[in-house]
Amino acid sequence: MSTVPITKHGAELLKEELQRLKSKERPAVINAIAEARAQGDLSENAEYDAAKERQAFIEGRIADLEGKLSSSQVVDPTTLSADGRVVFAATVDLENLDSGEKVTYQIVGLDEADIKESKVSITSPIARAMIGKSAGDVVAVEAPSGVKEYEILEVRYI
């Protein structure tokens, strides 16, 4: 099985969710199933059916998180030494050469990507265009509205 990169922060979030599911959600759904069973006839018991569906979802999510964590390679951006090049987990300041708009993105794994938090997936077109480049380089990104060019202003490992 190949390893999947994930930032230290992303791994911590997955571990927190896993812990919450195992320590709070799983016991709560087990109690809900027990209460629904105590009501008698299970064939027409909507509470029982809902609790069993919730249990299946929780167990599936637990298995999914455990699989992701076991196959992940945690990357701490503060320990990177990439000589100013854009690599996984780097934070990059860019300037759109057409509009002059400045943006900042951190390159993260698929599960961590959130454009609202300026985190782009390693598989996104903009991240793929930046990988290996340094400050001062210009990258062309294929966007639905056409090719956009960005200048890399700064590369940080924070």
Side-chain angles (χ1 to χ4, degrees), residues 2-119:
S2 63
T3 59
V4 178
I6 188 169
T7 64
K8 184 178 177 185
H9 177 70
E12 288 169 2
L13 291 177
L14 291 181
K15 287 176 186 173
E16 287 172 11
E17 182 182 357
L18 181 62
Q19 180 63 29
R20 179 182 53 79
L21 287 171
K22 284 182 168 182
S23 65
K24 291 189 173 87
E25 302 285 332
R26 184 186 268 168
V29 80
I30 289 170
N31 287 339
I33 290 171
E35 288 176 15
R37 275 195 180 138
Q39 294 175 7
D41 186 13
L42 299 180
S43 64
E44 295 180 13
N45 190 329
E47 289 84 8
Y48 178 77
D49 291 339
K52 288 299 280 182
E53 283 183 30
R54 180 79 180 137
Q55 181 184 36
F57 173 79
I58 289 170
E59 294 303 326
R61 184 65 180 153
I62 287 171
D64 185 43
L65 290 171
E66 287 175 338
K68 286 177 182 180
L69 287 168
S70 70
S71 68
S72 63
Q73 174 188 0
V74 179
V75 177
D76 184 354
T78 60
T79 63
L80 294 175
S81 59
D83 300 321
R85 288 179 296 113
V86 178
V87 294
F88 180 84
T91 300
V92 185
D93 297 326
L94 302 165
E95 180 179 355
N96 184 320
L97 295 180
D98 294 330
S99 67
E101 178 188 4
K102 293 182 180 177
V103 292
T104 300
Y105 294 123
Q106 181 182 21
I107 300 174
V108 297
L110 282 170
D111 293 318
E112 304 171 79
D114 185 353
I115 197 66
K116 292 176 188 163
E117 292 185 25
S118 298
K119 295 182 177 194

Side-chain angles (χ1 to χ4, degrees), residues 81-87 90 132-135 137 152 154-157:
S81 59
D83 300 321
R85 288 179 296 113
V86 178
V87 294
K133 304 288 194 286
S134 302
D137 290 348
I152 298 175
E154 185 179 4
V155 180
R156 295 173 283 143
Y157 311 104

